[in-house]
Every structure is written in C-alpha cells, then in structure tokens.
Amino acid sequence: MSYNSILVQQKDAVSIITLNRPEKLNSFNSEMHRELAAELNRIAADQLCRVLVLTGAGRAFCAGQDLSEKKFAPGVVPDVGKSLDEYYNPLVRRLRGLAIPVITAVNGVAAGAGANIALTGDIVIAAKSARFIQAFSRIGLIPDAGGTYILTHKLGEMRAKAVSMLATPISAEQAEKWGLVWQVFDDETFMDDVMQLATQMSQQATCALGLTKQAIHAVSSNTYDQQLDLERRLQGEAGRTDDYREGVTAFKEKREARFTGR
Ligand code: T3D
C-alpha cells in the first residue's frame, strides 16, 4: 500500500513505520492518522510481521497534533475531545494492543501527543539528542494519548505533575534514568542499533512476547490472585505454540532455537 504521510518498510520479519512530515516535525494531521491506522491494522493481520519499529523522519519523532490546521470560528466552542475519540485513543490502543512487540525509536524531539505515543512503545529507545516534552500546558491542554496514565505509573505523582505542568523538556539521558526509556543510542548509529535490536527480537518466540505484554498490561487493574489466574491462562496459550516445542527441543539438543512466531 502507498501512503503520503508515513513511510513503510519490511525488513524480514521487522515492519518499520516512519512518520514522514519532517517540515512539520511529523505532527499529526488527519491524513497521517488515517494512514497510520490503516498500516497498523494491516500489520496486525499479517503473520509475517513479528516486530514493529515506529520512528520519525528528519530531526523529530513527532510534535503531536498539527497546530497549523487549527481554526477557531467565532462563537464556536471547540470539542478537542472528539479528536481523542476519533484519532488518538484508537491509535494508542492499537499500539498497546498489538500482539507483537512495538519498539518506538525516538530519533529526536517528541512533544505533546508525540511524546506519549513514543512512551506507549513496549521498548522505548531514544537517540542521545532526543527530548520528551509534555507541551500541552503551553497551549492550555492536558496530557493526552495516555500521558497522564503512563507518566504517573512510571514517574509517580510528583514528577508526573511537574513535567506536565511545567512542560520541562526531559533529555534522553534523564528519561533513561527515570525508566521512561529502555536504552539510549548514539545519534550517528541510531537506526542501525535499533534495527539490530528489532531483528534480534523478531527471531525470538514472538507469540510469547505478545502474551507477556498482555500479562504485564493487566497488572495495574488486577489483584495478585487475578494475575496468577491470567498467567495460568496465557501460559497455557504459550505452551500450545510451535515455538515452545522448538525452544525446549533446541535446549535439549544444545543448539540455537529456530523460532517461527507460531
Ligand atoms: O487538538 C487536538 O486534536 C487534540 C489533541 C492534542 C494532542 C497534542 O499533541 S496537543 C500538543 C501539540 N503540540 C505542541 O504543542 C508542540 C508544538 N511544537 C513545539 O513546541 C516545538 O516545535 C518543539 C518543542 C516540538 C520543537 O521546537 P524547535 O524549536 O526545535 O522547532 P520549531 O522551530 O518550534 O519547529 C520547527 C517547525 O515545525 C516550525 O515550522 P516553521 O516555522 O519552520 O515553518 C514549527 O511551526 C513546526 N511545528 C512544530 N510543531 C508543530 C509544528 N507545526 C504544526 N504543528 C506542530 N505541533
């Protein structure tokens, strides 16, 4: 499929989506939303895709909503919530719910909803020069695209409030120290390093990785006992995969496992 606002590539089992409006720092217009949704739906249905990498073209990852599109008609009160219903909430739900690991490769500045989409990745990797900005308070909005949830869970209430209210840029290094980012890679070798990680993950037992993320996502709404029950159900599913048989067989035969993601 060909798109205008995103680039898509397939390298073996790794799908790469690049947000591609660099002159607007890859901010979202409705076309980019529609194209990204279509591509995520396609990837979800394609058994060959075993890891997704989401990144941005040029010097930004994504600057959130395209503000140059906004028009205020006299006497009309805007309903910003509609944009969350139509675009941002389905987008972050799709990313989080994808049954394969999602690596967000934060190549540069990530602001507004762009920051929170970046932080929705299962594995968040940042370039040294990247920064995360909860820019919403600067324009009279609140963090969206899951920002209040992610920030509070990962940073605690005090830091979540401070970075949201003050819109203080968080460097890649600080984000790594705070556990918002898994690893920081040098700018010069950034995409090569990301692809090495993505390729390695795509050769793992990716069904089990998908089930792992499902289990971990359920923790915040489950009791300990409910979580044990969920682990039992998901482990049952993992145990029925070809990859489980292959993993155990390879261990016994003292060789590398050849997983297929099935
Ligand atoms: O309304 C709804 O739909 C609800 C949903 C809301 C979700 C949201 O994301 S709200 C938050 C929207 N985003 C922002 O408020 C961020 C705005 N951008 C910035 O604060 C800064 O651009 C950055 C901190 C991201 C980067 O700063 P800097 O100094 O590195 O770059 P710059 O010079 O500000 O931007 C470069 C160009 O990108 C510039 O265009 P120009 O002057 O060269 O023609 C700038 O206007 C453009 N740009 C940056 N961000 C956006 C944008 N154009 C449109 N929309 C943007 N969000």
Side-chain angles (χ1 to χ4, degrees):
M1 210 183 286
S2 87
Y3 300 112
N4 282 321
S5 298
I6 60 170
L7 295 171
V8 297
Q9 288 165 280
Q10 188 69 34
K11 292 198 174 150
D12 299 319
V14 180
S15 305
I16 306 146
I17 301 180
T18 306
L19 305 175
N20 191 30
R21 303 179 71 232
E23 68 293 348
K24 300 270 187 185
L25 303 190
N26 305 319
S27 57
F28 273 91
N29 60 7
S30 44
E31 179 184 69
M32 193 160 88
H33 270 297
R34 279 194 300 273
E35 292 186 353
L36 184 55
E39 184 59 12
L40 290 174
N41 287 343
R42 192 198 66 74
I43 287 171
D46 185 342
Q47 289 216 336
L48 293 177
C49 306
R50 293 171 62 190
V51 168
L52 168 66
V53 173
L54 178 65
T55 191
R59 72 179 177 90
F61 174 78
C62 172
Q65 176 62 32
D66 185 335
L67 298 176
S68 62
E69 279 199 336
K70 294 280 169 206
K71 293 188 181 70
F72 296 105
V76 179
V77 181
D79 182 358
V80 180
K82 265 170 75 175
S83 160
L84 304 191
D85 280 341
E86 197 171 350
Y87 295 126
Y88 288 99
N89 289 353
L91 166 58
V92 290
R93 283 189 175 117
R94 261 190 198 100
L95 280 175
R96 200 169 143 89
L98 216 57
I100 57 172
V102 175
I103 299 176
T104 43
V106 190
N107 52 302
V109 65
N116 297 329
I117 291 163
L119 297 176
T120 302
D122 300 309
I123 308 276
V124 185
I125 301 291
K128 243 184 199 144
S129 63
R131 57 210 154 104
F132 298 82
I133 311 173
Q134 296 296 321
F136 305 90
S137 62
R138 293 181 184 166
I139 58 165
L141 291 182
I142 71 157
D144 59 21
T148 55
Y149 185 94
I150 295 171
L151 294 170
T152 309
H153 273 76
K154 295 195 174 166
L155 302 183
E157 209 178 289
M158 173 60 72
R159 282 177 178 156
K161 283 178 182 165
V163 298
S164 302
M165 291 180 179
L166 304 173
T168 313
I170 306 170
S171 67
E173 203 183 25
Q174 183 67 69
E176 187 187 24
K177 278 193 196 130
W178 280 355
L180 289 172
V181 157
W182 171 243
Q183 237 181 321
V184 176
F185 291 152
D186 282 336
D187 288 18
E188 292 70 30
T189 55
F190 182 65
M191 272 318 277
D192 289 343
D193 293 341
V194 167
M195 284 308 295
Q196 198 178 331
L197 175 71
T199 304
Q200 176 223 303
M201 287 185 83
S202 73
Q203 291 162 357
Q204 289 182 239
T206 40
C207 272
L209 304 189
L211 295 170
T212 301
K213 95 185 222 186
Q214 208 180 310
I216 291 175
H217 288 166
V219 165
S220 50
S221 56
N222 270 353
T223 62
Y224 182 72
D225 281 328
Q226 287 170 328
Q227 193 65 17
L228 288 182
D229 291 342
L230 179 66
E231 285 177 5
R232 191 253 166 269
R233 183 168 69 73
L234 297 180
Q235 193 69 299
E237 262 186 64
R240 288 190 287 277
T241 61
D242 294 347
D243 282 346
Y244 171 57
R245 276 170 193 271
E246 167 61 8
V248 174
T249 307
F251 174 78
K252 292 204 294 195
E253 293 175 357
K254 298 190 187 300
R255 61 167 175 83
E256 283 290 309
R258 290 181 293 272
F259 294 119
T260 58
R262 298 217 167 91

